[in-house]
Amino acid sequence: MTRITPEFITVLAESEIFVFGSNLKGHHYGGAARIARNKFGAIHGQGIGLQGQSYAIPTMQGNIDTIKPYVDEFIKFAISHKEMKFLVTKIGCGIAGFKVSEIAPLFYNCIEIENVYLPLEFWDTYE
């Protein structure tokens, strides 16, 4: 398995995108969202989509059913932007309080998408 997101990301290559969990208001104050804002161009007030070298997926607005449409939107975006390499963090598994076993299935379709990298813990749930 070679498409594993590093546990800690401090720098990105030019074509790499840091995919993180956010809130709909785009208040990137903690966890991976703060890293996205401080290092990778996440925009305060923008809670969804591409911004700088980061991509926000809202995870703080409800349950898994409210996260899924945003993950599906991300997957479509990744498929249409093969020139980018997306490093998905353990979105929703920090401040939002979800378990890997709840979030990982949302990204199952990424198994076949060559430019999407997933956390090792997500891959472990697919075996």
Side-chain angles (χ1 to χ4, degrees):
M1 203 175 328
T2 58
R3 293 187 297 117
I4 298 171
T5 302
E7 184 72 27
F8 298 102
I9 300 170
T10 56
V11 295
L12 294 172
E14 189 174 321
S15 64
E16 291 179 328
I17 305 297
F18 183 84
V19 182
F20 68 100
S22 69
N23 58 64
L24 287 169
K25 293 185 178 184
H27 296 164
H28 309 307
Y29 296 136
R34 179 170 26 172
I35 294 168
R37 186 189 77 224
N38 290 344
K39 292 185 168 277
F40 306 127
I43 300 166
H44 183 76
Q46 183 177 332
I48 305 167
L50 186 67
Q51 39 198 296
Q53 274 189 278
S54 63
Y55 189 102
I57 298 176
T59 60
M60 301 288 288
Q61 68 281 350
N63 59 29
I64 294 298
D65 292 336
T66 68
I67 298 170
K68 186 179 183 329
Y70 296 107
V71 173
D72 292 345
E73 185 178 323
F74 160 73
I75 291 170
K76 288 177 189 170
F77 186 86
I79 290 170
S80 67
H81 290 84
K82 296 284 187 196
E83 75 282 4
M84 297 177 179
K85 176 179 168 181
F86 297 92
L87 304 175
V88 178
T89 63
K90 288 185 279 189
I91 73 152
C93 299
I95 296 167
F98 294 98
K99 297 176 185 162
V100 167
S101 61
E102 296 172 299
I103 297 291
L106 300 178
F107 288 89
Y108 182 80
N109 290 334
C110 292
I111 290 173
E112 302 297 325
I113 304 172
E114 295 293 322
N115 61 329
V116 176
Y117 289 58
L118 299 172
L120 179 60
E121 295 87 346
F122 285 23
W123 287 109
D124 288 344
T125 69
Y126 305 145
E127 295 178 351

